């Protein structure tokens, strides 16, 4: 008992003191008794916004398609309607007695295709699981004792692996709680944001792409990316005539007219020492010999982008040190043009002038000035348009102005064009005949004719090729008609393989782990694009820290590097936190993406929630990712046979940049929930 309170009772006079003691004692007994009494807390009374699910939104007291919760003909007025695969974490801190629910596939599913399995984990141990339930199987009930459980996981799996129709109900779901504790829902269990990338050394180290393609006569720009103490000076041996290097900035500029391959040795020097690296320049028909690395405005600003924000991003790319790791492009996405849908005066104005030249909106008063500013930092500039009359956001597109727009992009000085299908769907379906000023866009995203799907990309591809500068050409049409099979034939340097990504585990992992069919089509000059990165502060105009956990972010970056994906940071670079910065500056990890062999990793082994990816590298080694898609830490073993190798091999942990010794036949490691172990094996 608190000794400061005790004397006060002593001071109370006679009977009054006794009464006070009796009343206080009674109150304490009452409180204690009340606290230990179990209270029922309904799952639907908790915040269901924390549910992760593969399709649709979680519904309180309704099915995922917003009907009354119904299982085997019985209607329930309380519960959670979700969709497999679904996870919900609940913090209980040992205060729960039990959890009960009636579960099944909601009767709203008519097809017999649905397969679900409900599982309940307490602190990573499976406590209960339902039978594998199909549509029409009715309900199963559970009542699980939760004594001592800190973190509970309510999970719905789809054992068939195909999530179609997996409408899953946790009906009449409730906790029996003790100690007056109210459960707290979480989208993921708490995780420590471990900083893994070692800090760069003071001595120079040259990073970034070790090869660059350029077309004869096009302006050449390459900035030597190097970490290490400043001041630093740069030099180059065997630089071909036509190019010159600024020794203070490390920028190589000029033009080359002769076809050929030039082997250059780059050198960076500071008071701590120097380092050299070979660099290949290929003058020919191909550019983008390694995937582009940079930033794009969409995932953070979407329709709220402006020239000031883009300039601030470019400056932050340099000031943060990211440019020293090879991050180069600064790309403006949608909303630099005028828009038909909005009333915002900064987005309203003429789409084109009397000569048909595209007009930027009031937020972008000087497009050439913007590109010049980006170049003045040693970086490259990117822009966005659509083959249709309107972009996806409702801004003016390039339809019927393709040659003029390509020439304008080049004249302004842009080095990259993302070309987004959207309203071209209407053109493809013959719905747009008259004035391009008639906003007729509706998204149906899906012509089923490859000739029609590829036509507008070929038109712009040829227009870009006719320009006196190299413009990276990024096809954005969400993977329609297996674009990876024909993207290169329309001059594409990269093509999106799927719909848009968002900062959820289900979106990122679904996209990232489904790239195998496109993998054989990637190579120097033409890359599969699984969409932009969702780390840091993202939010499409409403910024928030990414909802991916730290381990999920390691998975995201590792996987995108293994996939030889274009790496476009999607966050607000002026608000980089130390974890995100550390994640984006691991030169050994980025070197996997930038490897000059240009082979994309594929799955070499897959079982349950475990995946092993391998990517052959130009030095004969392999980059290997061991991924755990499951909800609990798992031991994963990779055998050298799976990698097509044998013997006693070196293993290096790329995130920690640490050798792990030589290992015979295999290597085994525990991989955290939704996490990765990324190695180089040779
Ligand atoms: C989408 C595209 C996004 C973004 C957006 C702009 O179609 O996939 O990456 O560019 O349009 O409106």
């Amino acid at each position: 008992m608190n000794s400061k309170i005790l004397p006060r009772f002593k001071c109370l006079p006679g009977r009054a003191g006794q009464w006070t003691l009796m009343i206080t004692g009674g109150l304490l007994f009452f409180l204690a008794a009340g606290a230990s009494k179990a209270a029922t807390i309904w799952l639907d009374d908790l915040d269901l916004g924390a549910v992760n699910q593969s399709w649709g939104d979680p519904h309180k007291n309704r099915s995922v398609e917003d009907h009354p919760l119904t299982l085997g003909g019985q209607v329930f007025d309380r519960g959670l309607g979700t969709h497999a695969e679904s996870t919900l974490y609940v913090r209980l801190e040992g205060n729960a007695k039990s959890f009960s629910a009636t579960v099944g596939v909601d009767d709203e599913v008519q097809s017999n295709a649905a397969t679900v399995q409900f599982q309940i984990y307490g602190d990573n141990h499976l406590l209960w699981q339902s039978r594998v339930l199909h549509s029409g199987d009715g309900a199963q009930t559970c009542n699980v004792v939760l004594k001592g459980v800190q973190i509970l996981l309510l999970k719905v799996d789809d054992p068939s692996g195909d999530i179609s129709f997996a409408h899953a109900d946790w009906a009449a779901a409730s906790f029996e709680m003790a100690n007056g504790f109210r459960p707290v829902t979480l989208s993921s269990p708490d995780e420590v944001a471990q900083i893994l990338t070692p800090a760069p050394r003071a001595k120079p180290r040259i990073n970034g792409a070790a090869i660059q393609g350029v077309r004869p006569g096009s302006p050449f720009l390459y900035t030597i990316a190097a970490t290490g103490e400043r001041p630093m000076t740069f030099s180059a041996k065997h630089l071909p005539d036509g190019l010159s290097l600024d020794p203070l900035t490390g920028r190589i500029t000029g033009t080359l007219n002769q076809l050929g391959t030039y082997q250059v040795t780059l050198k960076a020097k500071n008071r701590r020492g120097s380092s050299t690296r070979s660099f290949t320049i290929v003058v020919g028909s191909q550019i983008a010999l390694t995937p582009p690395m940079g930033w794009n405005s969409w995932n953070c600003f979407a329709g709220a982008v402006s020239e000031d924000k883009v300039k601030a991003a470019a400056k932050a790319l340099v000031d943060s040190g990211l440019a020293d790791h090879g991050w180069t492009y600064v790309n403006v996405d949608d909303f630099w043009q005028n828009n038909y849908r909005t009333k915002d005066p900064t987005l309203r104005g003429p789409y084109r002038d009397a000569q048909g030249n595209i007009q930027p909106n009031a937020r972008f008063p000087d497009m050439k000035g913007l590109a010049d500013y980006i170049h003045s930092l040693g970086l490259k500039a990117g822009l966005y348009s659509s083959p249709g009359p309107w972009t996806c956001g409702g801004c003016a597109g390039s339809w019927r102005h393709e040659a003029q727009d390509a020439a304008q992009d080049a004249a302004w000085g842009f080095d990259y064009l993302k070309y987004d299908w959207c309203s071209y769907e209407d053109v493809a379906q013959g719905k747009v005949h008259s004035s391009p000023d008639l906003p007729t866009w509706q998204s149906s995203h899906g012509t089923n004719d490859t000739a029609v799907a590829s036509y507008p990309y070929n038109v712009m591809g040829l227009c870009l090729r006719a320009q006196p500068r190299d413009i990276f050409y990024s096809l954005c049409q969400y993977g329609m008609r297996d674009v990876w099979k024909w993207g290169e034939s329309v001059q594409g340097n990269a093509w999106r393989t799927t719909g848009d990504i968002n900062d959820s585990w289900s979106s990122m992992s679904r996209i990232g782990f489904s790239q195998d069919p496109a993998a054989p089509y990637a190579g120097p000059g033409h890359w599969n694009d699984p969409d932009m990165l969702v780390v840091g502060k993202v939010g499409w105009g409403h910024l928030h820290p990414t909802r991916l956990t730290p381990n999920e972010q390691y998975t995201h970056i590792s996987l995108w590097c293994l996939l030889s994906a274009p790496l476009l940071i999607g966050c607000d670079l002026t608000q980089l936190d130390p974890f995100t910065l550390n994640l984006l500056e691991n030169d050994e990890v980025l070197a996997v993406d930038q490897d000059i062999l240009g082979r994309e990793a594929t799955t070499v082994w897959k079982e349950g929630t475990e995946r092993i990816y391998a990517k052959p590298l130009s030095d004969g080694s392999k980059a290997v990712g061991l991924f755990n898609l499951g909800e609990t830490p798992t031991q994963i073993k990779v055998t050298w046979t799976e990698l097509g190798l044998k013997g006693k091999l070196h293993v290096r942990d790329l995130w920690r940049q640490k050798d792990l010794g030589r290992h015979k036949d295999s290597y085994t490691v525990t991989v955290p929930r939704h996490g990765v172990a990324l190695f180089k094996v040779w």
Side-chain angles (χ1 to χ4, degrees):
M1 192 184 280
N2 188 329
S3 58
K4 280 191 185 141
I5 296 174
L6 212 53
R8 284 177 62 190
F9 291 112
K10 278 193 186 154
C11 297
L12 286 167
R15 298 194 84 187
Q18 281 172 24
W19 275 109
T20 309
L21 278 173
M22 280 169 67
I23 293 169
T24 312
L27 192 65
L28 285 175
F29 176 78
F30 175 77
L31 283 177
S36 69
K37 212 173 128 218
T40 301
I41 305 274
W42 293 90
L43 178 64
D44 55 84
D45 274 340
L46 306 179
D47 176 9
L48 299 180
V51 176
N52 296 299
Q53 59 186 52
S54 296
W55 184 85
D57 295 317
H59 278 63
K60 174 186 164 92
N61 303 333
R62 309 275 291 175
S63 70
V64 72
E65 280 191 335
D66 204 23
H67 299 120
L69 293 166
T70 314
L71 295 170
Q74 190 185 349
V75 177
F76 295 81
D77 54 3
R78 310 200 72 145
L80 160 66
T82 182
H83 193 289
E85 293 152 341
S86 160
T87 56
L88 176 63
Y89 283 86
V90 189
R91 187 186 289 138
L92 300 171
E93 293 182 15
N95 294 299
K97 296 188 163 184
S98 62
F99 173 79
S100 57
T102 303
V103 300
V105 177
D106 194 280
D107 286 5
E108 74 190 357
V109 176
Q110 301 297 318
S111 148
N112 56 9
T115 327
V116 298
Q117 186 167 34
F118 292 77
Q119 293 173 331
I120 301 178
Y121 290 83
D123 301 326
N124 290 341
H125 298 292
L126 182 66
L127 302 179
W128 177 84
Q129 67 179 350
S130 71
R131 299 190 303 275
V132 174
L133 296 166
H134 306 93
S135 16
D137 280 357
Q140 195 178 338
T141 55
C142 67
N143 192 336
V144 181
V145 175
L146 298 180
K147 207 164 162 251
V149 170
Q150 302 290 315
I151 298 282
L152 186 79
L153 166 61
L154 300 177
K155 183 167 184 236
V156 193
D157 250 353
D158 183 341
S160 73
D162 158 22
I163 57 158
S164 322
F165 304 107
H167 300 200
D169 296 344
W170 293 93
S174 67
F175 295 90
E176 289 304 301
M177 299 298 300
N179 307 328
F181 188 90
R182 195 175 165 77
V184 179
T185 55
L186 309 165
S187 57
S188 56
D190 295 336
E191 223 180 68
V192 182
Q194 276 197 70
I195 297 272
L196 296 182
T197 305
R201 301 223 175 89
K203 196 181 161 226
R205 181 194 145 109
I206 299 177
N207 307 305
I211 191 165
Q212 181 157 307
V214 64
R215 296 192 183 115
S218 293
F220 184 91
L221 170 62
Y222 177 85
T223 303
I224 302 173
T227 48
E229 201 177 283
R230 263 48 184 186
M232 193 180 282
T233 53
F234 301 90
S235 57
K237 255 196 225 157
H238 312 304
L239 203 60
D241 286 347
L243 297 186
S244 62
L245 163 68
D246 178 333
L248 297 179
T249 60
R251 276 171 223 159
I252 303 174
T253 51
T255 45
L256 295 169
N257 296 314
Q258 294 301 313
L259 295 179
T261 300
Y262 302 89
Q263 298 297 347
V264 180
T265 305
L266 305 175
K267 183 170 181 181
K269 193 171 166 214
N270 66 11
R271 72 179 178 117
R272 307 290 190 144
S274 66
S275 74
T276 57
R277 197 171 81 163
S278 53
F279 174 55
T280 308
I281 299 172
V282 185
V283 188
S285 60
Q286 270 195 333
I287 60 168
L289 299 181
T290 65
M293 288 173 64
W295 174 86
N296 172 293
S297 60
W298 185 251
N299 289 354
C300 49
F301 301 131
V305 68
S306 66
E307 178 188 282
D308 291 346
K309 287 179 179 158
V310 176
K311 282 185 167 174
K315 188 166 179 307
L317 202 64
V318 174
D319 292 350
S320 64
L322 283 174
D324 297 339
H325 299 274
W327 299 92
T328 303
Y329 285 93
V330 174
N331 294 353
V332 185
D333 206 276
D334 207 353
F335 284 89
W336 61 269
Q337 326 83 323
N338 281 309
N339 188 291
Y340 79 79
R341 282 194 209 140
T342 174
K343 292 201 168 65
D344 181 338
T346 65
L347 295 170
R348 298 295 303 203
Y351 307 120
R352 293 182 181 273
D353 68 10
Q355 286 71 47
N357 296 310
I358 182 107
Q359 298 297 293
N361 61 43
R363 297 177 189 170
F364 286 87
D366 181 6
M367 295 299 278
K368 176 148 186 356
L370 176 59
D372 287 348
Y373 175 77
I374 294 170
H375 292 144
S376 77
L377 299 173
L379 306 172
K380 295 186 179 180
L383 210 53
Y384 167 99
S385 190
S386 169
W390 306 103
T391 66
C392 301
C395 297
S398 294
W399 188 54
R400 290 185 170 168
H401 292 277
E402 294 84 358
Q404 205 170 6
D405 284 4
Q408 180 67 86
D409 296 350
W412 280 334
F414 283 91
D415 309 292
Y416 190 114
L417 179 73
K418 171 173 170 183
Y419 207 45
D420 198 350
W421 175 265
C422 270
S423 70
Y424 192 84
E425 183 68 27
D426 284 353
V427 180
Q429 292 183 12
K431 288 192 201 151
V432 180
H433 297 293
S434 49
S435 159
D437 286 344
L438 286 180
T440 52
W441 178 68
Q442 320 149 358
S443 170
S444 54
H445 288 175
T447 178
N448 50 19
D449 182 338
T450 303
V452 175
S454 62
Y455 176 78
Y457 287 96
N458 197 31
V459 171
M460 183 52 100
L462 295 172
C463 293
L464 292 175
R465 280 301 283 267
Q467 301 312 312
R469 69 184 293 121
D470 294 343
I471 301 182
F472 183 102
Y473 186 28
S474 160
L475 278 47
C476 179
Q477 45 84 290
Y478 341 108
M480 266 189 307
R481 310 296 308 153
D482 294 353
V483 58
W484 44 91
K485 294 184 180 158
W486 52 265
E488 199 192 350
S489 72
V490 298
Q491 324 291 332
N493 298 116
W495 39 81
R496 280 269 300 278
T497 50
T498 67
D500 286 16
I501 197 168
N502 67 48
D503 59 321
S504 67
W505 167 250
S506 70
S507 166
M508 185 277 287
S509 60
R510 245 170 211 289
I511 290 176
F513 291 108
S514 64
Q515 300 292 313
D516 277 1
Y521 300 91
H526 47 94
W527 311 99
N528 291 309
D529 175 5
D531 208 359
M532 300 174 287
L533 303 175
V534 279
V535 299
K537 274 203 174 162
V538 291
W540 298 268
H542 307 279
L543 291 177
H544 60 256
T546 179
R547 292 177 293 147
L548 296 180
T549 65
N551 281 322
E552 291 167 354
Q553 295 179 59
Y554 280 116
T555 290
H556 184 20
I557 303 297
S558 306
L559 184 54
W560 263 236
C561 289
L562 285 163
L563 296 174
S564 310
L567 299 178
L568 292 172
I569 303 170
C571 70
D572 182 351
L573 290 177
T574 65
Q575 298 192 50
L576 276 173
D577 58 281
F579 176 82
T580 309
L581 188 58
N582 188 267
L583 191 68
L584 298 172
E585 60 183 17
N586 192 312
D587 299 310
E588 295 195 20
V589 174
L590 296 173
V592 172
D593 182 74
Q594 294 295 302
D595 185 73
I596 60 172
L597 190 61
R599 293 271 301 277
E600 179 171 334
T602 48
T603 317
V604 294
W605 185 80
K606 171 179 172 174
E607 196 175 287
T609 51
E610 296 167 21
R611 302 279 182 285
I612 300 179
Y613 275 71
K615 168 174 168 147
L617 300 176
S618 52
D619 63 1
S621 68
K622 293 216 169 160
V624 183
L626 276 55
F627 296 93
N628 172 12
L629 280 60
E631 296 299 319
T632 52
T634 308
Q635 272 209 341
I636 306 183
K637 175 176 174 177
V638 55
T639 65
W640 300 163
T641 323
E642 282 152 7
L643 302 178
L645 302 171
K646 57 180 172 205
K648 203 168 178 193
L649 303 179
H650 291 277
V651 178
R652 184 170 170 83
D653 179 331
L654 294 182
W655 279 106
R656 293 175 180 82
Q657 301 184 353
K658 215 170 118 190
D659 283 333
L660 300 175
R662 291 176 69 192
H663 296 264
K664 197 171 173 297
D665 301 335
S666 67
Y667 190 78
T668 305
V669 64
T670 300
V671 184
R673 165 189 186 268
H674 294 185
V676 61
L678 184 68
F679 301 125
K680 185 166 167 161
V681 177
W682 72 102

